Amino acid sequence: MRATGFAVVCTALLLLGGCSGEEKPPVNDAAQLASAATAGTQKARSSKITLETTADDGRKVVVTSSGLYEGPNSKFSMVAEIAGEKRDLIFADGVLYYHLSDTQLQELKTGKEWVKITADGKDALSAANGALMTNVVETMDPTRTIERIAKTGKVTESGQADVNGTAATHYVLDLGGAPAEVWLDAEHRPVQVSMGKATVKYESWASDVVIIAPPPEAVGDSR
């Protein structure tokens, strides 16, 4: 009876995140999933990220990034490879900064190494990559994914899985007609997220990440 009583108590504690050393049970609805993933992300605050997707025009996009998750103030330091061409970008303070290549510096006749690009910008760089990179930032940010899950998600399936050696719980969701898959580790931190044509992988949670926007004097006008 004593053992049975302890099992009951431990099961209750597991639901509250207690009984350390045991895996946390899978959640069974979108609100619980979003709440658990939010807590895991907020506790860790940072990670390394890899995103792979295909642009609407067929270009292959691979982004490696460090992310610092602070809700609406989340920041990312990125290396984006688009159709084999690599570029450095920083997203900070709600602004996306693009590092110009030597060729672009000459074409624009500027000594400013960075420019801002926007989703609806009329300059050549924004027109070519603004909407794509804005979407990449939104897709990489787990806080935005979690927000979407909380608003429109429905868990349709869950089970255990292994993601590159990490034990995870795999959730299949319906986000208002759009399918998605989320893998969370034992601490309810995202390991992998797949939505549409994009797959995002997270690792090295709680790593030392410092992201600073380029100084104003280094930022020019791309028009």
Side-chain angles (χ1 to χ4, degrees):
M1 295 297 293
R2 289 178 181 272
T4 301
F6 176 77
V8 171
V9 171
C10 194
T11 298
L13 288 174
L14 275 171
L15 295 173
L16 297 174
C19 285
S20 61
E22 299 287 341
E23 286 191 6
K24 297 177 183 178
V27 296
N28 54 24
D29 68 40
Q32 288 180 326
L33 174 59
S35 178
T38 295
T41 298
Q42 288 178 342
K43 183 178 180 180
R45 289 194 68 242
S46 64
S47 75
K48 306 297 183 182
I49 314 163
T50 303
L51 175 145
E52 295 184 8
T53 189
T54 303
D56 291 339
D57 58 9
R59 291 180 296 170
K60 181 180 179 181
V61 180
V62 178
V63 180
T64 54
S65 173
S66 295
L68 184 61
Y69 313 121
E70 299 177 338
N73 298 315
S74 292
K75 301 179 177 67
F76 300 91
S77 177
M78 300 173 278
V79 177
E81 183 175 349
I82 305 174
E85 186 177 354
K86 292 185 178 181
R87 289 290 176 267
D88 294 327
L89 299 102
I90 292 175
F91 180 79
D93 306 321
V95 178
L96 183 59
Y97 299 93
Y98 179 102
H99 190 258
L100 295 170
S101 67
D102 291 342
T103 300
Q104 290 168 329
L105 283 170
Q106 293 175 1
E107 289 176 349
L108 294 173
K109 299 179 181 179
T110 177
K112 310 286 188 178
E113 294 186 9
W114 296 87
V115 295
K116 300 176 185 179
I117 65 174
T118 59
D120 56 356
K122 303 304 180 184
D123 59 280
L125 288 174
S126 291
N129 296 303
L132 171 62
M133 293 311 304
T134 299
N135 183 62
V136 163
V137 170
E138 292 179 351
T139 303
M140 283 195 308
D141 189 345
T143 61
R144 299 187 190 222
T145 302
I146 291 165
E147 181 180 355
R148 185 174 177 185
I149 289 172
K151 287 182 178 179
T152 63
K154 178 181 179 182
V155 176
T156 59
E157 184 182 339
S158 66
Q160 298 304 304
D162 180 278
V163 182
N164 298 324
T166 299
T169 304
H170 175 211
Y171 298 93
V172 179
L173 301 110
D174 180 355
L175 303 184
E181 295 179 81
V182 177
W183 290 258
L184 302 183
D185 67 13
E187 298 300 319
H188 287 152
R189 301 171 300 195
V191 176
Q192 183 169 301
V193 177
S194 293
M195 292 193 301
K197 295 182 289 186
T199 296
V200 190
K201 297 179 181 180
Y202 301 90
E203 61 181 0
S204 302
W205 279 98
S207 53
D208 187 13
V209 173
V210 177
I211 300 171
I212 301 173
E217 61 271 19
V219 181
D221 191 339
S222 63
R223 288 172 294 179

